[in-house]
């Protein structure tokens, strides 16, 4: 039966190749779509953990209620909370941060920006600004020095060594200003950070904002790859039982709605994949139906010689399965090659992403995933093979006498 | 002798009040400006703010010259050394840790000073009220047992911080006892009450006043003037930008 199916496929090779091509294109499109989505998901996760929330973010329990006002008075005692975290075996690293809006004054010019006060020593486990430093050096602790995002530096026309005055609202609602020397330029992968962020030593930010010893948030990295939610809950409980402070402790996926949406959106992508394969399968369905009419006399003859209805159906099903197996394999392999090359080079969305405030990098690197690719291959072959079931039923129902009339 | 003195005092009092008896809103406001604006002044005092952060007190020293020029220097707490210089066209902020003086304009003038219920404009604005507002006399009312004129001021320009003001003006001393600042639709923005007055060179001025920013929750600010000297000799150099860093 297998030999017969293979022989039938090669009888009209051009038509079989066309069917395989349709399946190949569908499989390729789906593998590339998933590679891009996997790349975006990994990129977003990486950016969130490094530059925004850590794997887990701890804030004062009252912060969220007034979040839109950035209530810096809802702060945490850095030394107290860090001491608790340092004692927890499941916590690999933690670092305090203060994120605050400010105005940069440079002579008569001024513009809004976002200040990030960071504990540079502990930040190695997170943003590790040294890796994105494109010019100059990191600020020295306890000095009025800062790093500027590359796009922000460009828009200000500022170079290393120049002085900037920062005006910000303090934790108690008054204002304060301090002048800083630009000692380095960083290029964060996220366009919004590059265009609006500046980084200064945590102690200097505390002084500017009148928050001595306090931080707005503490970001945490876990030791294991285990689910983070239980650890986030344990951190909050440990802090409360040890030092009696109520905190909000959340994982990055709980904080970032877009990332959570990404995860649920996978179901939608599977549905899209199904539609792609059904579209690709229409070519197989159409071809099989044509073949059945073309081979009506042949089917009648085989049935007259004793071939059962089920065997006729199986024959056509095998033909469809072989074509889709080859087509899907070629499609998946080509897609993996393209994804690999794009993964090395990256896809530059800088223009498209300009002005978009998302935690996704301007240059995206698609990620190939062997398990996903095998899944898509099996899924594709299955859908395409099942799609041939309908026309094969027609073949099985053909009456011998009726079929022989086609001779 | 004492009877003659009494009659003389009564005559003088009547003579003083006569110009404002049956006065129009414009005359009342002009008299108010004349009473509360000085050619120069020097004062010290403190601002106490009570809000969600607790109670904070900042002491200050202030100088003013003419209608548009003033300087306030904060002398205690975290804001020690900060200065606010108001000139006719601009408002400058000096911070001890900043290289440059920051110039505020437009809406920034309405920002809170030291997180209090007072804005930069509240603290520094002087000038001719009638040039900015249209005044209407609403009537008379007693406030804290003091007979007051109730005058409504409506801003002539949309750029005014307070589109409408309702003032309760002490008829005897021509000083504001209470004020309500609101939007043109009547929504309250701030309220001010004079708790205590003092007499300086024959003029009665506010010594202790309480301001409530109605847009903030559970917050009020009390401003105390501890000392006030008026019409004294002040050097122009005090109000120079280059001198802010002293």
């Amino acid at each position: 039966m297998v030999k017969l199916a293979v022989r039938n496929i090669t009888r009209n090779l051009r038509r079989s190749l066309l069917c395989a091509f349709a399946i190949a294109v569908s499989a390729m499109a789906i593998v590339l779509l998933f590679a891009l989505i996997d790349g975006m998901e990994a990129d977003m996760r990486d950016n969130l953990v490094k530059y925004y929330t850590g794997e887990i973010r701890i804030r004062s329990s009252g912060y969220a209620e007034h979040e839109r006002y950035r209530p810096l008075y809802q702060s945490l005692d850095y030394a107290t909370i860090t001491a608790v975290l340092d004692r927890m075996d499941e916590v690999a690293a933690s670092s305090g941060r203060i994120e605050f809006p400010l105005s940069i004054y440079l002579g008569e010019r001024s513009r809004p920006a976002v200040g990030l006060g960071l504990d540079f020593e502990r930040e190695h486990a997170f943003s590790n600004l040294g890796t994105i430093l494109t010019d100059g050096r990191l600020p020295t602790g306890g000095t009025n020095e800062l790093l500027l995002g590359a796009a922000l530096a460009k828009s200000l026309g500022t170079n290393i060594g120049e002085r900037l005055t920062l005006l910000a609202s303090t934790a108690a609602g008054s204002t304060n200003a301090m002048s800083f020397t630009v000692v380095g330029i960083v290029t964060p992968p996220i366009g919004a950070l590059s265009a609006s962020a500046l980084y200064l030593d945590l102690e200097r930010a505390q002084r500017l904002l009148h928050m001595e010893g306090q931080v707005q948030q503490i970001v945490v990295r876990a030791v294991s790859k285990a689910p983070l939610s239980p650890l986030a809950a344990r951190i909050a409980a440990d802090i409360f039982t040890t030092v009696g402070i109520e905190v909000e402790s959340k994982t990055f996926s709980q904080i970032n709605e877009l990332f959570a949406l990404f995860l649920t959106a996978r179901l939608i992508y599977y549905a899209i994949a199904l539609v792609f394969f059904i579209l690709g399968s229409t070519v197989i369905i159409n071809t099989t139906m044509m073949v059945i009419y073309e081979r009506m006399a042949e089917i009648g003859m085989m049935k007259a010689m004793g071939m059962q209805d089920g065997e006729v159906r199986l024959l056509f099903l095998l033909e469809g399965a072989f074509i889709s197996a080859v087509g899907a394999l070629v499609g998946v392999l080509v897609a993996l090659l393209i994804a690999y090359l794009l993964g090395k080079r990256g896809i530059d969305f800088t223009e498209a992403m300009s002005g978009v405030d998302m935690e996704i990098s301007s240059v995206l690197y698609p990620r190939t995933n062997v398990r996903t690719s095998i899944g898509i291959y099996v899924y594709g072959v299955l859908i395409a093979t099942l799609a041939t079931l309908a026309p094969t039923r027609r073949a099985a129902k053909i009456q011998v006498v009726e079929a022989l009339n086609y001779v | 002798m004492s009877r003659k003195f009494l009659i003389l005092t009564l005559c003088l009092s009547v003579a003083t009040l006569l110009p404002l008896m049956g006065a129009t809103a414009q005359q009342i406001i002009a008299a108010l400006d004349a009473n509360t604006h000085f050619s120069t002044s020097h004062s010290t005092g403190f601002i106490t703010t009570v809000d969600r952060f607790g109670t904070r007190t900042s002491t200050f020293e202030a100088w003013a010259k003419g209608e548009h020029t003033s300087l306030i220097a904060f002398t205690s707490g975290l804001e020690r050394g900060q200065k606010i210089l108001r000139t006719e066209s601009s408002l400058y902020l000096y911070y001890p840790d900043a290289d440059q003086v920051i110039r505020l304009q437009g809406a920034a003038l309405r920002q809170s000073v030291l997180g209090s219920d007072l804005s930069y404009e509240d603290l520094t604005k002087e000038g001719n009220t009638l040039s900015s507002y249209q005044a209407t006399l609403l009537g008379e009312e007693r406030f804290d047992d003091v007979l007051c004129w109730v005058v409504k001021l409506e801003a002539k320009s949309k750029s005014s911080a307070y589109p409408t003001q309702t003032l309760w003006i002490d008829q005897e001393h021509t000083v504001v006892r209470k004020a309500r600042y609101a939007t043109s639709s009547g929504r309250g923005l701030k309220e001010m009450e004079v708790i205590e007055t003092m007499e300086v060179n024959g003029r009665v001025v506010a010594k202790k006043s309480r301001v409530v920013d109605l847009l903030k929750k559970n917050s009020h600010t009390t401003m105390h003037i501890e000392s006030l000297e008026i019409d004294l000799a002040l050097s122009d150099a005090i109000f120079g930008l280059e001198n802010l860093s002293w």
Side-chain angles (χ1 to χ4, degrees), chain A residues 365-398:
Chain A
Y365 297 89
R367 279 200 172 191
T368 51
N369 183 326
V370 176
R371 218 168 64 179
T372 308
S373 303
I374 292 171
I376 291 168
Y377 173 76
V378 173
Y379 189 61
V381 173
L382 206 67
I383 298 286
T385 307
L386 288 176
T388 56
L389 266 179
T392 57
R393 285 181 58 168
R394 167 84 183 97
K397 281 181 184 169
I398 291 169

mmCIF file of all heavy atoms in Angstrom, chain A residues 365-398:
data_model
loop_
_atom_site.group_PDB
_atom_site.id
_atom_site.type_symbol
_atom_site.label_atom_id
_atom_site.label_comp_id
_atom_site.label_asym_id
_atom_site.label_seq_id
_atom_site.Cartn_x
_atom_site.Cartn_y
_atom_site.Cartn_z
ATOM 1 N N TYR A 365 15.473 39.577 18.143
ATOM 2 C CA TYR A 365 16.195 38.393 17.696
ATOM 3 C C TYR A 365 15.258 37.184 17.788
ATOM 4 O O TYR A 365 14.973 36.718 18.892
ATOM 5 C CB TYR A 365 17.437 38.169 18.565
ATOM 6 C CG TYR A 365 18.432 39.299 18.447
ATOM 7 C CD1 TYR A 365 18.368 40.409 19.286
ATOM 8 C CD2 TYR A 365 19.410 39.268 17.455
ATOM 9 C CE1 TYR A 365 19.257 41.462 19.155
ATOM 10 C CE2 TYR A 365 20.318 40.325 17.323
ATOM 11 C CZ TYR A 365 20.221 41.415 18.177
ATOM 12 O OH TYR A 365 21.105 42.452 18.036
ATOM 13 N N PRO A 366 14.762 36.691 16.629
ATOM 14 C CA PRO A 366 13.888 35.510 16.683
ATOM 15 C C PRO A 366 14.609 34.338 17.330
ATOM 16 O O PRO A 366 15.831 34.201 17.176
ATOM 17 C CB PRO A 366 13.596 35.220 15.210
ATOM 18 C CG PRO A 366 13.857 36.497 14.507
ATOM 19 C CD PRO A 366 14.957 37.169 15.263
ATOM 20 N N ARG A 367 13.866 33.524 18.045
ATOM 21 C CA ARG A 367 14.464 32.391 18.758
ATOM 22 C C ARG A 367 13.914 31.090 18.201
ATOM 23 O O ARG A 367 12.692 30.920 18.146
ATOM 24 C CB ARG A 367 14.111 32.456 20.241
ATOM 25 C CG ARG A 367 14.982 33.392 20.981
ATOM 26 C CD ARG A 367 14.914 33.047 22.443
ATOM 27 N NE ARG A 367 15.902 33.829 23.164
ATOM 28 C CZ ARG A 367 16.237 33.620 24.405
ATOM 29 N NH1 ARG A 367 15.671 32.644 25.077
ATOM 30 N NH2 ARG A 367 17.142 34.349 24.999
ATOM 31 N N THR A 368 14.800 30.197 17.787
ATOM 32 C CA THR A 368 14.324 28.902 17.299
ATOM 33 C C THR A 368 14.203 27.967 18.489
ATOM 34 O O THR A 368 15.070 27.943 19.364
ATOM 35 C CB THR A 368 15.305 28.317 16.277
ATOM 36 O OG1 THR A 368 16.606 28.348 16.837
ATOM 37 C CG2 THR A 368 15.285 29.086 14.984
ATOM 38 N N ASN A 369 13.117 27.227 18.480
ATOM 39 C CA ASN A 369 12.867 26.303 19.576
ATOM 40 C C ASN A 369 12.560 24.938 18.949
ATOM 41 O O ASN A 369 11.561 24.782 18.233
ATOM 42 C CB ASN A 369 11.677 26.812 20.395
ATOM 43 C CG ASN A 369 11.396 25.953 21.604
ATOM 44 O OD1 ASN A 369 11.581 24.738 21.578
ATOM 45 N ND2 ASN A 369 10.948 26.591 22.665
ATOM 46 N N VAL A 370 13.454 23.970 19.168
ATOM 47 C CA VAL A 370 13.328 22.656 18.513
ATOM 48 C C VAL A 370 12.011 21.980 18.899
ATOM 49 O O VAL A 370 11.305 21.442 18.052
ATOM 50 C CB VAL A 370 14.540 21.761 18.880
ATOM 51 C CG1 VAL A 370 14.362 20.360 18.293
ATOM 52 C CG2 VAL A 370 15.821 22.389 18.341
ATOM 53 N N ARG A 371 11.670 22.062 20.185
ATOM 54 C CA ARG A 371 10.447 21.404 20.647
ATOM 55 C C ARG A 371 9.211 22.007 19.967
ATOM 56 O O ARG A 371 8.331 21.296 19.489
ATOM 57 C CB ARG A 371 10.332 21.537 22.162
ATOM 58 C CG ARG A 371 9.760 20.279 22.806
ATOM 59 C CD ARG A 371 9.917 20.282 24.280
ATOM 60 N NE ARG A 371 9.160 21.365 24.906
ATOM 61 C CZ ARG A 371 9.113 21.575 26.208
ATOM 62 N NH1 ARG A 371 9.801 20.794 27.007
ATOM 63 N NH2 ARG A 371 8.422 22.555 26.718
ATOM 64 N N THR A 372 9.190 23.346 19.892
ATOM 65 C CA THR A 372 8.063 24.019 19.237
ATOM 66 C C THR A 372 8.022 23.636 17.755
ATOM 67 O O THR A 372 6.945 23.376 17.193
ATOM 68 C CB THR A 372 8.199 25.558 19.377
ATOM 69 O OG1 THR A 372 8.400 25.866 20.741
ATOM 70 C CG2 THR A 372 6.985 26.289 18.852
ATOM 71 N N SER A 373 9.217 23.575 17.128
ATOM 72 C CA SER A 373 9.271 23.269 15.698
ATOM 73 C C SER A 373 8.762 21.854 15.429
ATOM 74 O O SER A 373 8.024 21.630 14.460
ATOM 75 C CB SER A 373 10.711 23.403 15.190
ATOM 76 O OG SER A 373 11.180 24.699 15.456
ATOM 77 N N ILE A 374 9.164 20.903 16.266
ATOM 78 C CA ILE A 374 8.676 19.526 16.102
ATOM 79 C C ILE A 374 7.155 19.497 16.281
ATOM 80 O O ILE A 374 6.431 18.873 15.521
ATOM 81 C CB ILE A 374 9.369 18.571 17.109
ATOM 82 C CG1 ILE A 374 10.856 18.434 16.730
ATOM 83 C CG2 ILE A 374 8.698 17.193 17.120
ATOM 84 C CD1 ILE A 374 11.695 17.692 17.752
ATOM 85 N N GLY A 375 6.692 20.233 17.262
ATOM 86 C CA GLY A 375 5.251 20.316 17.522
ATOM 87 C C GLY A 375 4.507 20.859 16.310
ATOM 88 O O GLY A 375 3.475 20.317 15.905
ATOM 89 N N ILE A 376 5.056 21.929 15.724
ATOM 90 C CA ILE A 376 4.413 22.544 14.549
ATOM 91 C C ILE A 376 4.427 21.551 13.375
ATOM 92 O O ILE A 376 3.444 21.419 12.636
ATOM 93 C CB ILE A 376 5.147 23.858 14.162
ATOM 94 C CG1 ILE A 376 4.890 24.915 15.237
ATOM 95 C CG2 ILE A 376 4.702 24.365 12.795
ATOM 96 C CD1 ILE A 376 5.774 26.132 15.134
ATOM 97 N N TYR A 377 5.531 20.807 13.240
ATOM 98 C CA TYR A 377 5.651 19.811 12.156
ATOM 99 C C TYR A 377 4.548 18.744 12.303
ATOM 100 O O TYR A 377 3.786 18.482 11.361
ATOM 101 C CB TYR A 377 7.038 19.170 12.203
ATOM 102 C CG TYR A 377 7.197 18.022 11.230
ATOM 103 C CD1 TYR A 377 7.361 18.269 9.868
ATOM 104 C CD2 TYR A 377 7.151 16.705 11.660
ATOM 105 C CE1 TYR A 377 7.480 17.226 8.960
ATOM 106 C CE2 TYR A 377 7.266 15.660 10.772
ATOM 107 C CZ TYR A 377 7.424 15.922 9.426
ATOM 108 O OH TYR A 377 7.521 14.896 8.546
ATOM 109 N N VAL A 378 4.450 18.174 13.487
ATOM 110 C CA VAL A 378 3.456 17.115 13.741
ATOM 111 C C VAL A 378 2.039 17.667 13.537
ATOM 112 O O VAL A 378 1.194 17.053 12.889
ATOM 113 C CB VAL A 378 3.629 16.539 15.171
ATOM 114 C CG1 VAL A 378 2.508 15.563 15.511
ATOM 115 C CG2 VAL A 378 4.994 15.864 15.300
ATOM 116 N N TYR A 379 1.837 18.865 14.079
ATOM 117 C CA TYR A 379 0.544 19.549 13.986
ATOM 118 C C TYR A 379 0.177 19.745 12.514
ATOM 119 O O TYR A 379 -0.943 19.440 12.088
ATOM 120 C CB TYR A 379 0.731 20.893 14.700
ATOM 121 C CG TYR A 379 -0.490 21.740 14.937
ATOM 122 C CD1 TYR A 379 -1.547 21.294 15.706
ATOM 123 C CD2 TYR A 379 -0.542 23.035 14.421
ATOM 124 C CE1 TYR A 379 -2.639 22.119 15.956
ATOM 125 C CE2 TYR A 379 -1.612 23.862 14.658
ATOM 126 C CZ TYR A 379 -2.667 23.399 15.428
ATOM 127 O OH TYR A 379 -3.739 24.220 15.672
ATOM 128 N N GLY A 380 1.139 20.193 11.709
ATOM 129 C CA GLY A 380 0.924 20.460 10.283
ATOM 130 C C GLY A 380 0.589 19.188 9.525
ATOM 131 O O GLY A 380 -0.371 19.157 8.737
ATOM 132 N N VAL A 381 1.364 18.116 9.755
ATOM 133 C CA VAL A 381 1.152 16.843 9.052
ATOM 134 C C VAL A 381 -0.228 16.278 9.411
ATOM 135 O O VAL A 381 -0.972 15.814 8.547
ATOM 136 C CB VAL A 381 2.279 15.836 9.409
ATOM 137 C CG1 VAL A 381 1.970 14.453 8.826
ATOM 138 C CG2 VAL A 381 3.623 16.338 8.876
ATOM 139 N N LEU A 382 -0.537 16.395 10.688
ATOM 140 C CA LEU A 382 -1.820 15.864 11.172
ATOM 141 C C LEU A 382 -3.001 16.590 10.529
ATOM 142 O O LEU A 382 -3.935 15.960 10.013
ATOM 143 C CB LEU A 382 -1.866 16.025 12.699
ATOM 144 C CG LEU A 382 -2.750 15.052 13.442
ATOM 145 C CD1 LEU A 382 -2.198 13.631 13.351
ATOM 146 C CD2 LEU A 382 -2.872 15.459 14.901
ATOM 147 N N ILE A 383 -2.936 17.921 10.543
ATOM 148 C CA ILE A 383 -4.050 18.711 9.988
ATOM 149 C C ILE A 383 -4.195 18.418 8.492
ATOM 150 O O ILE A 383 -5.296 18.167 7.987
ATOM 151 C CB ILE A 383 -3.801 20.235 10.191
ATOM 152 C CG1 ILE A 383 -3.718 20.581 11.668
ATOM 153 C CG2 ILE A 383 -4.886 21.072 9.486
ATOM 154 C CD1 ILE A 383 -5.000 20.573 12.417
ATOM 155 N N ALA A 384 -3.066 18.418 7.761
ATOM 156 C CA ALA A 384 -3.105 18.219 6.311
ATOM 157 C C ALA A 384 -3.606 16.807 5.975
ATOM 158 O O ALA A 384 -4.370 16.620 5.030
ATOM 159 C CB ALA A 384 -1.713 18.450 5.724
ATOM 160 N N THR A 385 -3.172 15.818 6.766
ATOM 161 C CA THR A 385 -3.600 14.432 6.516
ATOM 162 C C THR A 385 -5.096 14.288 6.789
ATOM 163 O O THR A 385 -5.829 13.694 6.005
ATOM 164 C CB THR A 385 -2.795 13.464 7.416
ATOM 165 O OG1 THR A 385 -1.412 13.717 7.216
ATOM 166 C CG2 THR A 385 -3.083 12.013 7.077
ATOM 167 N N LEU A 386 -5.528 14.856 7.898
ATOM 168 C CA LEU A 386 -6.946 14.766 8.243
ATOM 169 C C LEU A 386 -7.811 15.478 7.202
ATOM 170 O O LEU A 386 -8.948 15.074 6.947
ATOM 171 C CB LEU A 386 -7.194 15.361 9.632
ATOM 172 C CG LEU A 386 -6.666 14.516 10.804
ATOM 173 C CD1 LEU A 386 -6.885 15.252 12.121
ATOM 174 C CD2 LEU A 386 -7.356 13.152 10.856
ATOM 175 N N ALA A 387 -7.231 16.535 6.608
ATOM 176 C CA ALA A 387 -7.977 17.297 5.603
ATOM 177 C C ALA A 387 -8.280 16.435 4.379
ATOM 178 O O ALA A 387 -9.254 16.695 3.659
ATOM 179 C CB ALA A 387 -7.173 18.527 5.186
ATOM 180 N N THR A 388 -7.461 15.408 4.130
ATOM 181 C CA THR A 388 -7.691 14.551 2.962
ATOM 182 C C THR A 388 -8.779 13.505 3.224
ATOM 183 O O THR A 388 -9.212 12.813 2.316
ATOM 184 C CB THR A 388 -6.396 13.809 2.553
ATOM 185 O OG1 THR A 388 -5.929 13.073 3.674
ATOM 186 C CG2 THR A 388 -5.327 14.761 2.062
ATOM 187 N N LEU A 389 -9.207 13.387 4.469
ATOM 188 C CA LEU A 389 -10.212 12.375 4.833
ATOM 189 C C LEU A 389 -11.519 12.552 4.058
ATOM 190 O O LEU A 389 -12.100 11.576 3.584
ATOM 191 C CB LEU A 389 -10.510 12.434 6.330
ATOM 192 C CG LEU A 389 -9.707 11.495 7.233
ATOM 193 C CD1 LEU A 389 -10.096 11.692 8.676
ATOM 194 C CD2 LEU A 389 -9.950 10.039 6.829
ATOM 195 N N ALA A 390 -11.936 13.805 3.907
ATOM 196 C CA ALA A 390 -13.232 14.066 3.252
ATOM 197 C C ALA A 390 -13.251 13.549 1.811
ATOM 198 O O ALA A 390 -14.138 12.750 1.468
ATOM 199 C CB ALA A 390 -13.542 15.550 3.328
ATOM 200 N N PRO A 391 -12.293 13.947 0.965
ATOM 201 C CA PRO A 391 -12.341 13.425 -0.410
ATOM 202 C C PRO A 391 -12.133 11.904 -0.503
ATOM 203 O O PRO A 391 -12.659 11.271 -1.407
ATOM 204 C CB PRO A 391 -11.222 14.181 -1.131
ATOM 205 C CG PRO A 391 -10.389 14.804 -0.102
ATOM 206 C CD PRO A 391 -11.225 14.954 1.118
ATOM 207 N N THR A 392 -11.361 11.311 0.451
ATOM 208 C CA THR A 392 -11.126 9.863 0.378
ATOM 209 C C THR A 392 -12.413 9.083 0.656
ATOM 210 O O THR A 392 -12.587 7.978 0.162
ATOM 211 C CB THR A 392 -10.046 9.409 1.375
ATOM 212 O OG1 THR A 392 -10.431 9.783 2.682
ATOM 213 C CG2 THR A 392 -8.675 9.947 1.045
ATOM 214 N N ARG A 393 -13.318 9.680 1.426
ATOM 215 C CA ARG A 393 -14.608 9.017 1.670
ATOM 216 C C ARG A 393 -15.374 8.887 0.359
ATOM 217 O O ARG A 393 -16.043 7.906 0.108
ATOM 218 C CB ARG A 393 -15.444 9.826 2.662
ATOM 219 C CG ARG A 393 -14.937 9.668 4.090
ATOM 220 C CD ARG A 393 -15.776 10.445 5.045
ATOM 221 N NE ARG A 393 -17.178 10.013 4.964
ATOM 222 C CZ ARG A 393 -18.095 10.352 5.825
ATOM 223 N NH1 ARG A 393 -17.773 11.124 6.837
ATOM 224 N NH2 ARG A 393 -19.339 9.936 5.696
ATOM 225 N N ARG A 394 -15.236 9.931 -0.459
ATOM 226 C CA ARG A 394 -15.882 9.919 -1.786
ATOM 227 C C ARG A 394 -15.322 8.758 -2.605
ATOM 228 O O ARG A 394 -16.072 8.009 -3.245
ATOM 229 C CB ARG A 394 -15.594 11.270 -2.474
ATOM 230 C CG ARG A 394 -15.914 11.323 -3.941
ATOM 231 C CD ARG A 394 -17.405 11.643 -4.187
ATOM 232 N NE ARG A 394 -17.706 11.628 -5.605
ATOM 233 C CZ ARG A 394 -18.234 10.592 -6.248
ATOM 234 N NH1 ARG A 394 -18.495 9.484 -5.603
ATOM 235 N NH2 ARG A 394 -18.516 10.662 -7.529
ATOM 236 N N ALA A 395 -13.968 8.576 -2.528
ATOM 237 C CA ALA A 395 -13.320 7.501 -3.287
ATOM 238 C C ALA A 395 -13.825 6.138 -2.819
ATOM 239 O O ALA A 395 -14.083 5.238 -3.629
ATOM 240 C CB ALA A 395 -11.807 7.593 -3.134
ATOM 241 N N ALA A 396 -13.990 5.989 -1.490
ATOM 242 C CA ALA A 396 -14.394 4.701 -0.932
ATOM 243 C C ALA A 396 -15.836 4.333 -1.319
ATOM 244 O O ALA A 396 -16.179 3.161 -1.429
ATOM 245 C CB ALA A 396 -14.235 4.736 0.583
ATOM 246 N N LYS A 397 -16.657 5.376 -1.553
ATOM 247 C CA LYS A 397 -18.079 5.114 -1.833
ATOM 248 C C LYS A 397 -18.350 4.811 -3.310
ATOM 249 O O LYS A 397 -19.476 4.506 -3.698
ATOM 250 C CB LYS A 397 -18.904 6.338 -1.418
ATOM 251 C CG LYS A 397 -19.136 6.392 0.085
ATOM 252 C CD LYS A 397 -19.967 7.608 0.431
ATOM 253 C CE LYS A 397 -20.118 7.721 1.932
ATOM 254 N NZ LYS A 397 -20.689 9.003 2.294
ATOM 255 N N ILE A 398 -17.329 4.940 -4.128
ATOM 256 C CA ILE A 398 -17.527 4.747 -5.573
ATOM 257 C C ILE A 398 -17.942 3.290 -5.839
ATOM 258 O O ILE A 398 -17.329 2.352 -5.308
ATOM 259 C CB ILE A 398 -16.222 5.090 -6.336
ATOM 260 C CG1 ILE A 398 -15.969 6.606 -6.264
ATOM 261 C CG2 ILE A 398 -16.284 4.635 -7.789
ATOM 262 C CD1 ILE A 398 -14.602 7.000 -6.755
#
